[in-house]
Amino acid sequence: MPLKPSKIGLSSRQAAWEVLKVVAAGAYADVALDRVTERFDFDVVDRSFVMEIAYGAIRYRFTLDCWIDSFGKIPSTKQPPNLRWLLHIGLYQLLLMDRIPSSAAVDTTVELAKRSNLSRLAPVVNGVLRSALRAKDAGTGIPLPASPPACLAQKHSLPLWFAEELISWVGVERSETTAKASNQVPPLDLRVNKLRISPTSLQKRFELAGIECIHIDGCPYGLQVISGRGDLREWPGYKEGFWCVQDRAAQWVSPLLKPNSGDRILDACSAPGGKATHLVELMDDKGELWAVDRSKDRLKLVSANAERLGCNCLNVLEADASSLIAMKPEWRGSFQGILLDAPCSGLGTLARHPDARWRMTPAKVSELVALQFKLFERLLPLLSKGGRLVYSTCTIHPEENERQIKRILALHPELKLEQEKQLWPDISRPGDGFYAATLEFC
């Protein structure tokens, strides 16, 4: 049950602490945030504050652990889990939120300990936070490891294996840039539904509602929100299907298929449907698009998005994409375009998904590489002669991207690589890390 706070902001910090506990139990960060905040009577501002603290503490988990290791008597990973997550809440505010007074960060964290089953450990919380504060104020911080991968991992809160890989791919200097970008709070990007309104007209509607947007370079129907408050579902044009939320990197993928009106298109791993609805818009809602996904619940999101956006030629099918050729033999050679937005490690979206870095391992990457190859091999027979297949991921791991395509091309001389591109997370360019390759069946 939510505490009855006697101090301003205590309930929002308690909620952030609860989110960390739920994520530690296995939930995804966005699911945990929704699950926890619905138990509190938060307005939009308070919910945003909870999200800022919770997501930040999850994102910087390893860095915060290093601070606990420096000032606690027990290593972070051997602390009682609830104490560890509470210390993360306090340390994140102290070290990485300039707008929070240090006294408020310390006092509220200690108070949460006192009001929970950690009351006897409140002096420990106070001691660790005040030691960290003294080190911060003195400008000494905590020592960094001499090893470049270990240093990168501690500074930017990355798993050590990923820091090692990143340096091996792009070197020390660029890995630093990529790591910084992976910790930036991502912008809110929208895709305007060209079937219903122009970007300029939507922008004018937003301005009347006090929402400021700018056009996104390279995305003809993309708008970046600069300022705007409230529930997005109450913003102008949402209910009318004038727009949807989609990162600029994801908006770059669907046009690579170059769909035409009347084409038959397959989106093989479709949920939640952002790219499928984009394809329908590019086809002027004329033709036939099949959105396939193995998750019944996630397919409901595809259907709901398609209905809101007015995508009438979109059909959904619950199926494992690797079994389509057996399930639908009549589909052989019948699609002018296939989008394989493959299941991947998501290492290009760490800024957007703060918990993703802690879920992935080298072993899981290897499993995904095998799955991606299997999906490609099973989907290729569905492509018509002269058709295009776009293989895309939201990762920066070369085994899942350019090396995967190199293996595929070596086995399929009938395929021609039209283009491929890797977008990297970059502090000078907002947007996720994405890869896409366009292949033509000659």
Side-chain angles (χ1 to χ4, degrees):
M1 292 293 292
L3 298 174
K4 294 180 179 179
S6 62
K7 295 189 177 185
I8 296 175
L10 196 61
S11 60
S12 56
R13 290 169 170 88
Q14 183 205 355
W17 184 22
E18 293 295 328
V19 171
L20 265 63
K21 295 178 192 177
V22 176
V23 168
Y28 288 98
D30 56 344
V31 174
L33 181 69
D34 289 341
R35 187 184 303 173
V36 170
T37 53
E38 70 182 12
R39 296 194 281 112
F40 291 77
D41 187 23
F42 288 138
D43 60 19
V44 173
V45 174
D46 283 340
R47 189 183 187 281
S48 296
F49 183 61
V50 173
M51 180 177 175
E52 182 179 358
I53 295 177
Y55 277 26
I58 294 167
R59 188 177 285 121
Y60 280 96
R61 178 186 293 178
F62 181 59
T63 301
L64 300 176
D65 275 346
C66 292
W67 280 77
I68 295 174
D69 293 343
S70 294
F71 299 112
K73 294 182 179 180
I74 300 174
S76 57
T77 54
K78 294 185 178 181
Q79 298 275 4
N82 287 351
L83 175 61
R84 181 186 177 192
W85 310 134
L86 181 59
L87 287 170
H88 284 190
I89 294 296
L91 286 169
Y92 180 75
Q93 294 173 79
L94 274 181
L95 304 173
L96 294 155
M97 291 182 73
D98 293 337
R99 65 189 180 91
I100 302 297
S102 298
S103 58
V106 174
D107 291 350
T108 53
T109 308
V110 172
E111 187 68 19
L112 284 173
K114 290 179 178 177
R115 295 180 179 219
S116 70
N117 59 3
L118 298 178
S119 56
R120 64 183 180 84
L121 295 174
V124 174
V125 174
N126 186 63
V128 171
L129 294 184
R130 293 199 179 278
S131 295
L133 179 58
R134 284 192 292 271
K136 177 192 175 188
D137 289 345
T140 55
I142 58 175
L144 290 169
S147 160
C151 181
L152 187 73
Q154 180 172 310
K155 282 174 66 179
H156 301 291
S157 194
L158 300 176
L160 181 59
W161 72 267
F162 180 51
E164 292 170 342
E165 291 275 37
L166 190 55
I167 289 174
S168 73
W169 301 333
V170 295
V172 174
E173 185 175 346
R174 186 167 180 187
S175 65
E176 185 85 16
T177 301
T178 301
K180 284 181 181 178
S182 296
N183 286 326
Q184 285 187 328
V185 177
L188 176 59
D189 293 342
L190 309 179
R191 190 189 79 235
V192 180
N193 182 357
K194 81 182 192 75
L195 300 176
R196 296 193 166 177
I197 197 170
S198 70
T200 301
S201 296
L202 180 60
Q203 195 173 18
K204 289 177 180 177
R205 290 183 181 228
F206 279 161
E207 288 173 358
L208 292 174
I211 301 166
E212 182 185 359
C213 291
I214 58 173
H215 290 271
I216 299 173
D217 289 341
C219 294
Y221 300 98
L223 293 175
Q224 178 184 334
V225 177
I226 303 300
S227 64
R229 295 176 64 177
D231 188 338
L232 295 182
R233 292 168 296 185
E234 300 301 324
W235 283 16
Y238 178 83
K239 292 182 176 66
E240 297 90 340
F242 288 174
W243 56 271
C244 64
V245 175
Q246 189 179 41
D247 183 79
R248 65 193 66 194
Q251 293 184 43
W252 160 69
V253 173
S254 293
L256 297 176
L257 209 52
K258 299 179 182 177
N260 297 309
S261 296
D263 277 354
R264 193 163 192 260
I265 304 293
L266 172 65
D267 182 2
C269 302
S270 186
K275 296 181 184 69
T277 54
H278 193 187
L279 285 165
V280 171
E281 292 165 17
L282 295 171
M283 296 160 63
D284 294 322
D285 199 22
K286 297 174 183 176
E288 184 180 354
L289 185 136
W290 282 91
V292 175
D293 203 274
R294 63 189 303 175
S295 169
K296 183 177 182 179
D297 289 339
R298 285 169 57 80
L299 269 180
K300 292 177 182 177
L301 296 175
V302 180
S303 296
N305 285 328
E307 183 178 359
R308 184 176 64 83
L309 296 169
C311 298
N312 299 309
C313 74
L314 188 150
N315 309 278
V316 299
L317 175 66
E318 180 187 350
D320 183 338
S322 66
S323 302
L324 280 177
I325 189 63
M327 182 179 178
K328 296 280 189 180
E330 69 275 16
W331 280 10
R332 181 180 291 272
S334 68
F335 290 96
Q336 284 81 44
I338 297 177
L339 172 60
L340 173 53
D341 189 37
C344 71
S345 60
L347 295 174
T349 65
L350 300 187
R352 188 170 308 282
H353 303 293
D355 51 330
R357 68 192 73 193
W358 311 123
R359 298 182 181 279
M360 195 49 52
T361 65
K364 287 181 179 178
V365 171
S366 296
E367 291 173 4
L368 285 163
V369 169
L371 174 60
Q372 292 156 1
F373 183 81
K374 176 183 176 182
L375 285 166
F376 189 98
E377 289 294 298
R378 299 285 180 83
L379 289 169
L380 186 58
L382 304 178
L383 188 64
S384 66
K385 190 82 169 177
R388 286 189 180 85
L389 188 152
V390 169
Y391 171 89
S392 65
T393 72
C394 57
T395 187
I396 54 177
H397 201 303
E399 287 297 327
E400 301 178 79
N401 295 341
E402 59 268 26
R403 293 175 190 169
Q404 183 76 282
I405 292 300
K406 187 175 181 179
R407 286 189 288 269
I408 287 168
L409 288 171
L411 292 171
H412 292 283
E414 73 276 18
L415 295 178
K416 182 180 78 172
L417 178 64
E418 283 192 355
Q419 60 174 309
E420 68 175 333
K421 187 174 183 179
Q422 174 74 68
L423 298 178
W424 287 82
D426 195 305
I427 53 177
S428 64
R429 179 197 61 80
D432 295 335
F434 245 85
Y435 171 86
T438 307
L439 304 166
E440 184 180 359
F441 185 12
C442 300

